Every structure is written in C-alpha cells, then in structure tokens.
Amino acid sequence: MVYVRYADDWIIGIRGSHQDTVEIMNKIKEYLSTELGLELSTEKTVITNIRTNKVLFLGVRFFKTHANNLVRSSRNRPMRPPLSIRFEAPFDRIINKLETAGFCEGINPKPKFVLMFNSKDQIIHIHNSVLRGILNYYSFVHNYGKLVGLVNNIIKGSCAMLLAAKFKLKSQSAIYDKYGKDLKGKDNVAFIQVKYKINA
C-alpha cells in the first residue's frame, strides 16, 4: 500500500483485491470519524482499478498500460511486457480552465481584452507566464508533445489576436509580419520558443 498526500488531496495505491480495498477504505472512514471528527466524502472517494480505468490526481490522469511491442524472453519467446504507469495531461480540463480565464473558446484562441491596456511587452510576458506555468506543471507527462502543440496554439494565438486588436491590425498574420514569429520586433520581450519533447 502506498499513500500520497498534497495539502487536502490524497490517494492510496493498493496492490490487492477489491475486497481488500473496501476494507481499508472502511477503516479509513472509521478512523477519520472517531479520531479526527472528519467525514469521508462519498462523492469524491472512489475505488478505481487502474488496469481498466484512469485516475485523476492533482490534475494528472494516470493508468496502467502495456507497451505496444512484444519483448523477447531469455528463451527468445515473444512475451508481453509488464504493465507500466502512464501519466497524461487532461486536455479537456486544461482547455476548460483556459476558456474560463478568457484565452479561448473551445480549442480556438481568442483575445483577452481585459489585458488590452498593458504594454506590448507586458502582454507577451503575461501570456508567456501562463504557457510556462502549464508546461512546467505537466513536464513529466507522456502526452507532453500533444499538450505543447495544443496549449501553445491557444496562448500564442490569443496573444497575437490581442496585439492585432491593440495596434488596429486586421489579423494574426499582420502581427507576425510586423513583429516576427516570436512577436518581439524591436521591443524587449519575445514569445517563448517551446520544446515538444521532455528533457531527459
């Protein structure tokens, strides 16, 4: 059994049967009630088999998966590799948060007009901070490359659209023509260049 806690979020990993898990959960429920005066939330507390379902913890989905290719045993017989843990960024939740923050509608970027009266450098810096924050948090996930492509398109597109509106240009392409692909131009701050692979 492995227990992990961060602030008030916690998860227990159990190598055992479903019955074992139910018994442990009931003991936890009893301990919280009798020793700490706390009630275990029935809505948020679930038992999940990570061989068949994905678990969400601290904004990351993980599950057990087989590798795609068979491996060879010591007798040169094909055999399926052992299960391994795969971590994924939940695109739906990330897009929803960006949409709530005003950077997009669905996967389509939109300008966050509340930032309009900042300077050009400040606007780029703010968008860079949002992009860096997301990519740094999810730097270890297995679908990192797809995450970079998705979030970079939304945040950079939102930034370019806002700058186009600020300088009364008609399109994103007009902004890129004027200031370059990194949006820096002759100013101090450039839009960050993202990497699509996790650093080893």
Short mmCIF file of all heavy atoms in Angstrom, two decimals, residues 104-151:
data_model
loop_
_atom_site.label_atom_id
_atom_site.label_comp_id
_atom_site.label_asym_id
_atom_site.label_seq_id
_atom_site.Cartn_x
_atom_site.Cartn_y
_atom_site.Cartn_z
N CYS A 104 -9.61 31.42 -24.74
CA CYS A 104 -10.08 30.63 -25.88
C CYS A 104 -11.57 30.36 -25.77
O CYS A 104 -12.21 30.58 -24.73
CB CYS A 104 -9.31 29.31 -25.97
SG CYS A 104 -9.51 28.24 -24.50
N GLU A 105 -12.11 29.84 -26.89
CA GLU A 105 -13.45 29.25 -26.92
C GLU A 105 -13.27 27.85 -27.46
O GLU A 105 -12.98 27.69 -28.65
CB GLU A 105 -14.40 30.07 -27.79
CG GLU A 105 -14.77 31.42 -27.18
CD GLU A 105 -15.75 32.19 -28.05
OE1 GLU A 105 -16.08 31.69 -29.15
OE2 GLU A 105 -16.17 33.28 -27.64
N GLY A 106 -13.41 26.86 -26.62
CA GLY A 106 -13.03 25.51 -27.03
C GLY A 106 -11.52 25.49 -27.26
O GLY A 106 -10.76 25.97 -26.44
N ILE A 107 -11.11 24.96 -28.42
CA ILE A 107 -9.68 24.95 -28.73
C ILE A 107 -9.27 26.16 -29.57
O ILE A 107 -8.10 26.29 -29.95
CB ILE A 107 -9.28 23.66 -29.47
CG1 ILE A 107 -10.02 23.54 -30.80
CG2 ILE A 107 -9.51 22.45 -28.58
CD1 ILE A 107 -9.52 22.38 -31.66
N ASN A 108 -10.21 27.05 -29.84
CA ASN A 108 -9.93 28.21 -30.66
C ASN A 108 -9.52 29.40 -29.80
O ASN A 108 -10.26 29.80 -28.89
CB ASN A 108 -11.16 28.59 -31.49
CG ASN A 108 -11.60 27.47 -32.41
OD1 ASN A 108 -10.79 26.91 -33.14
ND2 ASN A 108 -12.88 27.12 -32.37
N PRO A 109 -8.33 29.97 -30.07
CA PRO A 109 -7.87 31.11 -29.26
C PRO A 109 -8.74 32.34 -29.46
O PRO A 109 -9.35 32.51 -30.53
CB PRO A 109 -6.44 31.35 -29.77
CG PRO A 109 -6.40 30.75 -31.13
CD PRO A 109 -7.36 29.60 -31.11
N LYS A 110 -8.81 33.17 -28.43
CA LYS A 110 -9.50 34.46 -28.56
C LYS A 110 -8.75 35.48 -27.71
O LYS A 110 -8.06 35.12 -26.74
CB LYS A 110 -10.96 34.35 -28.13
CG LYS A 110 -11.18 34.25 -26.64
CD LYS A 110 -12.67 34.35 -26.31
CE LYS A 110 -12.91 34.43 -24.81
NZ LYS A 110 -14.34 34.54 -24.47
N PRO A 111 -8.82 36.75 -28.08
CA PRO A 111 -8.08 37.77 -27.32
C PRO A 111 -8.71 38.01 -25.95
O PRO A 111 -9.93 38.04 -25.82
CB PRO A 111 -8.20 39.02 -28.21
CG PRO A 111 -9.44 38.80 -29.02
CD PRO A 111 -9.54 37.32 -29.24
N LYS A 112 -7.86 38.17 -24.96
CA LYS A 112 -8.33 38.50 -23.62
C LYS A 112 -8.26 40.02 -23.48
O LYS A 112 -7.24 40.59 -23.08
CB LYS A 112 -7.47 37.80 -22.57
CG LYS A 112 -7.99 37.96 -21.15
CD LYS A 112 -7.27 37.06 -20.16
CE LYS A 112 -7.84 37.23 -18.77
NZ LYS A 112 -7.24 36.30 -17.79
N PHE A 113 -9.37 40.68 -23.80
CA PHE A 113 -9.37 42.13 -23.95
C PHE A 113 -9.09 42.87 -22.65
O PHE A 113 -8.71 44.04 -22.68
CB PHE A 113 -10.70 42.59 -24.55
CG PHE A 113 -10.83 42.27 -26.02
CD1 PHE A 113 -11.78 41.35 -26.45
CD2 PHE A 113 -10.00 42.88 -26.95
CE1 PHE A 113 -11.90 41.06 -27.81
CE2 PHE A 113 -10.11 42.59 -28.30
CZ PHE A 113 -11.06 41.67 -28.74
N VAL A 114 -9.28 42.20 -21.51
CA VAL A 114 -9.01 42.87 -20.23
C VAL A 114 -7.52 43.25 -20.12
O VAL A 114 -7.16 44.14 -19.34
CB VAL A 114 -9.43 41.96 -19.05
CG1 VAL A 114 -8.52 40.76 -18.90
CG2 VAL A 114 -9.49 42.76 -17.75
N LEU A 115 -6.67 42.61 -20.92
CA LEU A 115 -5.23 42.90 -20.90
C LEU A 115 -4.83 43.97 -21.92
O LEU A 115 -3.66 44.32 -22.03
CB LEU A 115 -4.44 41.63 -21.19
CG LEU A 115 -4.67 40.44 -20.26
CD1 LEU A 115 -3.89 39.22 -20.75
CD2 LEU A 115 -4.26 40.79 -18.84
N MET A 116 -5.80 44.50 -22.65
CA MET A 116 -5.54 45.39 -23.79
C MET A 116 -4.67 46.60 -23.41
O MET A 116 -3.80 47.01 -24.18
CB MET A 116 -6.86 45.88 -24.36
CG MET A 116 -6.73 46.96 -25.43
SD MET A 116 -6.28 46.27 -27.03
CE MET A 116 -7.89 45.73 -27.60
N PHE A 117 -4.86 47.16 -22.24
CA PHE A 117 -4.21 48.43 -21.92
C PHE A 117 -2.82 48.25 -21.29
O PHE A 117 -2.19 49.22 -20.90
CB PHE A 117 -5.12 49.27 -21.02
CG PHE A 117 -6.41 49.64 -21.70
CD1 PHE A 117 -7.59 48.98 -21.38
CD2 PHE A 117 -6.43 50.59 -22.71
CE1 PHE A 117 -8.79 49.29 -22.03
CE2 PHE A 117 -7.62 50.91 -23.36
CZ PHE A 117 -8.79 50.25 -23.03
N ASN A 118 -2.37 47.02 -21.21
CA ASN A 118 -0.97 46.78 -20.85
C ASN A 118 -0.09 47.09 -22.05
O ASN A 118 -0.55 47.15 -23.20
CB ASN A 118 -0.77 45.32 -20.44
CG ASN A 118 -1.39 45.01 -19.09
OD1 ASN A 118 -0.85 45.37 -18.06
ND2 ASN A 118 -2.53 44.34 -19.10
N SER A 119 1.21 47.27 -21.80
CA SER A 119 2.13 47.49 -22.90
C SER A 119 2.32 46.19 -23.68
O SER A 119 1.96 45.10 -23.21
CB SER A 119 3.49 47.95 -22.38
OG SER A 119 4.14 46.89 -21.67
N LYS A 120 2.88 46.28 -24.87
CA LYS A 120 3.11 45.09 -25.69
C LYS A 120 3.98 44.08 -24.95
O LYS A 120 3.67 42.88 -24.92
CB LYS A 120 3.77 45.49 -27.01
CG LYS A 120 4.18 44.32 -27.91
CD LYS A 120 4.73 44.83 -29.23
CE LYS A 120 5.35 43.70 -30.04
NZ LYS A 120 6.60 43.19 -29.45
N ASP A 121 5.08 44.55 -24.34
CA ASP A 121 5.95 43.64 -23.60
C ASP A 121 5.22 42.99 -22.43
O ASP A 121 5.40 41.80 -22.16
CB ASP A 121 7.18 44.39 -23.08
CG ASP A 121 8.25 44.59 -24.15
OD1 ASP A 121 8.13 43.98 -25.23
OD2 ASP A 121 9.20 45.35 -23.89
N GLN A 122 4.39 43.74 -21.74
CA GLN A 122 3.63 43.19 -20.62
C GLN A 122 2.65 42.12 -21.09
O GLN A 122 2.48 41.09 -20.44
CB GLN A 122 2.89 44.30 -19.88
CG GLN A 122 3.79 45.22 -19.07
CD GLN A 122 3.05 46.41 -18.49
OE1 GLN A 122 2.07 46.89 -19.08
NE2 GLN A 122 3.51 46.91 -17.36
N ILE A 123 2.00 42.37 -22.21
CA ILE A 123 1.04 41.42 -22.77
C ILE A 123 1.72 40.10 -23.10
O ILE A 123 1.25 39.01 -22.75
CB ILE A 123 0.33 42.00 -24.01
CG1 ILE A 123 -0.65 43.10 -23.58
CG2 ILE A 123 -0.39 40.90 -24.79
CD1 ILE A 123 -1.25 43.87 -24.74
N ILE A 124 2.87 40.18 -23.77
CA ILE A 124 3.61 38.97 -24.12
C ILE A 124 4.09 38.26 -22.86
O ILE A 124 4.02 37.03 -22.75
CB ILE A 124 4.79 39.30 -25.05
CG1 ILE A 124 4.26 39.86 -26.39
CG2 ILE A 124 5.65 38.06 -25.31
CD1 ILE A 124 5.35 40.34 -27.33
N HIS A 125 4.57 39.03 -21.89
CA HIS A 125 5.07 38.44 -20.64
C HIS A 125 3.97 37.68 -19.92
O HIS A 125 4.19 36.57 -19.40
CB HIS A 125 5.63 39.53 -19.74
CG HIS A 125 6.09 39.04 -18.40
ND1 HIS A 125 7.23 38.29 -18.24
CD2 HIS A 125 5.53 39.17 -17.17
CE1 HIS A 125 7.37 37.97 -16.97
NE2 HIS A 125 6.35 38.50 -16.29
N ILE A 126 2.78 38.24 -19.87
CA ILE A 126 1.65 37.57 -19.20
C ILE A 126 1.31 36.26 -19.89
O ILE A 126 1.12 35.21 -19.24
CB ILE A 126 0.42 38.51 -19.17
CG1 ILE A 126 0.67 39.70 -18.23
CG2 ILE A 126 -0.84 37.74 -18.72
CD1 ILE A 126 -0.36 40.80 -18.34
N HIS A 127 1.24 36.29 -21.21
CA HIS A 127 0.92 35.06 -21.96
C HIS A 127 2.04 34.03 -21.81
O HIS A 127 1.77 32.83 -21.70
CB HIS A 127 0.67 35.40 -23.43
CG HIS A 127 -0.65 36.07 -23.68
ND1 HIS A 127 -0.87 37.41 -23.44
CD2 HIS A 127 -1.83 35.57 -24.14
CE1 HIS A 127 -2.12 37.71 -23.74
NE2 HIS A 127 -2.73 36.61 -24.17
N ASN A 128 3.28 34.50 -21.81
CA ASN A 128 4.41 33.58 -21.58
C ASN A 128 4.29 32.89 -20.22
O ASN A 128 4.56 31.70 -20.08
CB ASN A 128 5.74 34.33 -21.64
CG ASN A 128 6.21 34.58 -23.06
OD1 ASN A 128 5.72 33.97 -24.01
ND2 ASN A 128 7.15 35.50 -23.21
N SER A 129 3.90 33.65 -19.21
CA SER A 129 3.79 33.11 -17.86
C SER A 129 2.73 32.02 -17.78
O SER A 129 2.93 30.98 -17.12
CB SER A 129 3.46 34.23 -16.86
OG SER A 129 4.50 35.17 -16.79
N VAL A 130 1.61 32.24 -18.44
CA VAL A 130 0.54 31.23 -18.46
C VAL A 130 1.02 29.97 -19.16
O VAL A 130 0.84 28.85 -18.65
CB VAL A 130 -0.72 31.79 -19.16
CG1 VAL A 130 -1.77 30.69 -19.32
CG2 VAL A 130 -1.29 32.97 -18.38
N LEU A 131 1.66 30.14 -20.31
CA LEU A 131 2.15 28.99 -21.07
C LEU A 131 3.22 28.22 -20.29
O LEU A 131 3.17 26.99 -20.19
CB LEU A 131 2.72 29.46 -22.42
CG LEU A 131 3.25 28.37 -23.35
CD1 LEU A 131 2.19 27.32 -23.64
CD2 LEU A 131 3.75 29.00 -24.65
N ARG A 132 4.19 28.94 -19.72
CA ARG A 132 5.24 28.28 -18.94
C ARG A 132 4.66 27.52 -17.74
O ARG A 132 5.09 26.41 -17.42
CB ARG A 132 6.23 29.32 -18.42
CG ARG A 132 7.27 29.77 -19.42
CD ARG A 132 8.44 30.45 -18.70
NE ARG A 132 9.34 31.09 -19.63
CZ ARG A 132 9.33 32.37 -19.93
NH1 ARG A 132 8.44 33.17 -19.36
NH2 ARG A 132 10.20 32.88 -20.79
N GLY A 133 3.70 28.14 -17.07
CA GLY A 133 3.10 27.51 -15.90
C GLY A 133 2.49 26.15 -16.23
O GLY A 133 2.70 25.17 -15.52
N ILE A 134 1.74 26.10 -17.32
CA ILE A 134 1.10 24.84 -17.72
C ILE A 134 2.14 23.81 -18.13
O ILE A 134 2.11 22.66 -17.69
CB ILE A 134 0.10 25.09 -18.87
CG1 ILE A 134 -1.05 25.97 -18.38
CG2 ILE A 134 -0.43 23.76 -19.41
CD1 ILE A 134 -1.99 26.42 -19.48
N LEU A 135 3.09 24.21 -18.98
CA LEU A 135 4.08 23.26 -19.49
C LEU A 135 5.03 22.78 -18.40
O LEU A 135 5.45 21.62 -18.40
CB LEU A 135 4.86 23.88 -20.65
CG LEU A 135 4.02 24.26 -21.88
CD1 LEU A 135 4.93 24.73 -23.02
CD2 LEU A 135 3.15 23.09 -22.35
N ASN A 136 5.38 23.65 -17.47
CA ASN A 136 6.23 23.22 -16.35
C ASN A 136 5.50 22.22 -15.45
O ASN A 136 6.09 21.23 -15.00
CB ASN A 136 6.70 24.42 -15.53
CG ASN A 136 7.76 25.24 -16.24
OD1 ASN A 136 8.41 24.76 -17.17
ND2 ASN A 136 7.94 26.48 -15.83
N TYR A 137 4.24 22.49 -15.19
CA TYR A 137 3.48 21.60 -14.30
C TYR A 137 3.35 20.20 -14.89
O TYR A 137 3.45 19.20 -14.18
CB TYR A 137 2.09 22.18 -14.04
CG TYR A 137 1.32 21.41 -13.00
CD1 TYR A 137 1.54 21.62 -11.64
CD2 TYR A 137 0.38 20.44 -13.36
CE1 TYR A 137 0.85 20.91 -10.67
CE2 TYR A 137 -0.31 19.72 -12.40
CZ TYR A 137 -0.07 19.95 -11.06
OH TYR A 137 -0.74 19.24 -10.11
N TYR A 138 3.15 20.15 -16.21
CA TYR A 138 2.94 18.86 -16.88
C TYR A 138 4.20 18.38 -17.60
O TYR A 138 4.12 17.60 -18.55
CB TYR A 138 1.78 18.96 -17.87
CG TYR A 138 0.43 19.11 -17.20
CD1 TYR A 138 -0.21 20.34 -17.15
CD2 TYR A 138 -0.19 18.01 -16.62
CE1 TYR A 138 -1.45 20.47 -16.53
CE2 TYR A 138 -1.42 18.13 -16.00
CZ TYR A 138 -2.05 19.36 -15.96
OH TYR A 138 -3.27 19.49 -15.35
N SER A 139 5.36 18.80 -17.15
CA SER A 139 6.60 18.50 -17.87
C SER A 139 6.93 17.01 -17.92
O SER A 139 7.74 16.59 -18.75
CB SER A 139 7.77 19.25 -17.23
OG SER A 139 7.95 18.85 -15.89
N PHE A 140 6.32 16.20 -17.08
CA PHE A 140 6.67 14.77 -16.99
C PHE A 140 5.68 13.85 -17.69
O PHE A 140 5.91 12.64 -17.76
CB PHE A 140 6.75 14.36 -15.51
CG PHE A 140 5.44 14.54 -14.78
CD1 PHE A 140 4.55 13.49 -14.68
CD2 PHE A 140 5.11 15.76 -14.23
CE1 PHE A 140 3.33 13.66 -14.03
CE2 PHE A 140 3.91 15.94 -13.57
CZ PHE A 140 3.01 14.88 -13.47
N VAL A 141 4.57 14.39 -18.20
CA VAL A 141 3.52 13.51 -18.74
C VAL A 141 3.93 12.90 -20.07
O VAL A 141 4.77 13.43 -20.80
CB VAL A 141 2.18 14.28 -18.90
CG1 VAL A 141 1.66 14.74 -17.55
CG2 VAL A 141 2.33 15.46 -19.86
N HIS A 142 3.31 11.77 -20.40
CA HIS A 142 3.66 11.05 -21.61
C HIS A 142 3.06 11.67 -22.88
O HIS A 142 3.54 11.40 -23.98
CB HIS A 142 3.22 9.59 -21.50
CG HIS A 142 4.00 8.81 -20.49
ND1 HIS A 142 3.62 8.68 -19.18
CD2 HIS A 142 5.18 8.14 -20.61
CE1 HIS A 142 4.50 7.95 -18.51
NE2 HIS A 142 5.46 7.61 -19.35
N ASN A 143 2.02 12.47 -22.75
CA ASN A 143 1.44 13.15 -23.91
C ASN A 143 1.87 14.61 -23.97
O ASN A 143 1.13 15.48 -24.43
CB ASN A 143 -0.09 13.03 -23.91
CG ASN A 143 -0.73 13.62 -22.65
OD1 ASN A 143 -0.05 13.93 -21.67
ND2 ASN A 143 -2.04 13.78 -22.67
N TYR A 144 3.11 14.86 -23.53
CA TYR A 144 3.63 16.23 -23.44
C TYR A 144 3.67 16.93 -24.80
O TYR A 144 3.32 18.10 -24.92
CB TYR A 144 5.02 16.21 -22.81
CG TYR A 144 5.63 17.58 -22.60
CD1 TYR A 144 5.21 18.39 -21.54
CD2 TYR A 144 6.61 18.08 -23.45
CE1 TYR A 144 5.75 19.64 -21.34
CE2 TYR A 144 7.16 19.33 -23.25
CZ TYR A 144 6.73 20.11 -22.19
OH TYR A 144 7.28 21.35 -22.01
N GLY A 145 4.12 16.22 -25.84
CA GLY A 145 4.22 16.83 -27.17
C GLY A 145 2.88 17.35 -27.67
O GLY A 145 2.78 18.46 -28.19
N LYS A 146 1.82 16.56 -27.49
CA LYS A 146 0.49 16.99 -27.91
C LYS A 146 0.01 18.16 -27.05
O LYS A 146 -0.66 19.07 -27.54
CB LYS A 146 -0.49 15.83 -27.82
CG LYS A 146 -0.24 14.74 -28.85
CD LYS A 146 -1.28 13.63 -28.74
CE LYS A 146 -1.03 12.56 -29.79
NZ LYS A 146 -2.04 11.45 -29.69
N LEU A 147 0.36 18.12 -25.76
CA LEU A 147 -0.02 19.22 -24.87
C LEU A 147 0.63 20.52 -25.32
O LEU A 147 -0.03 21.56 -25.37
CB LEU A 147 0.42 18.89 -23.44
CG LEU A 147 0.22 20.02 -22.42
CD1 LEU A 147 -1.26 20.24 -22.14
CD2 LEU A 147 0.97 19.71 -21.12
N VAL A 148 1.92 20.47 -25.65
CA VAL A 148 2.63 21.67 -26.11
C VAL A 148 1.95 22.25 -27.34
O VAL A 148 1.70 23.45 -27.43
CB VAL A 148 4.10 21.34 -26.41
CG1 VAL A 148 4.78 22.54 -27.07
CG2 VAL A 148 4.85 20.98 -25.13
N GLY A 149 1.66 21.38 -28.32
CA GLY A 149 1.02 21.86 -29.54
C GLY A 149 -0.31 22.53 -29.28
O GLY A 149 -0.61 23.60 -29.82
N LEU A 150 -1.11 21.92 -28.42
CA LEU A 150 -2.45 22.44 -28.12
C LEU A 150 -2.38 23.77 -27.37
O LEU A 150 -2.98 24.77 -27.79
CB LEU A 150 -3.22 21.42 -27.29
CG LEU A 150 -4.60 21.85 -26.79
CD1 LEU A 150 -5.57 21.98 -27.96
CD2 LEU A 150 -5.13 20.85 -25.77
N VAL A 151 -1.64 23.80 -26.26
CA VAL A 151 -1.61 24.98 -25.40
C VAL A 151 -0.86 26.13 -26.06
O VAL A 151 -1.26 27.29 -25.95
CB VAL A 151 -1.01 24.64 -24.02
CG1 VAL A 151 -0.95 25.88 -23.14
CG2 VAL A 151 -1.83 23.56 -23.34
#
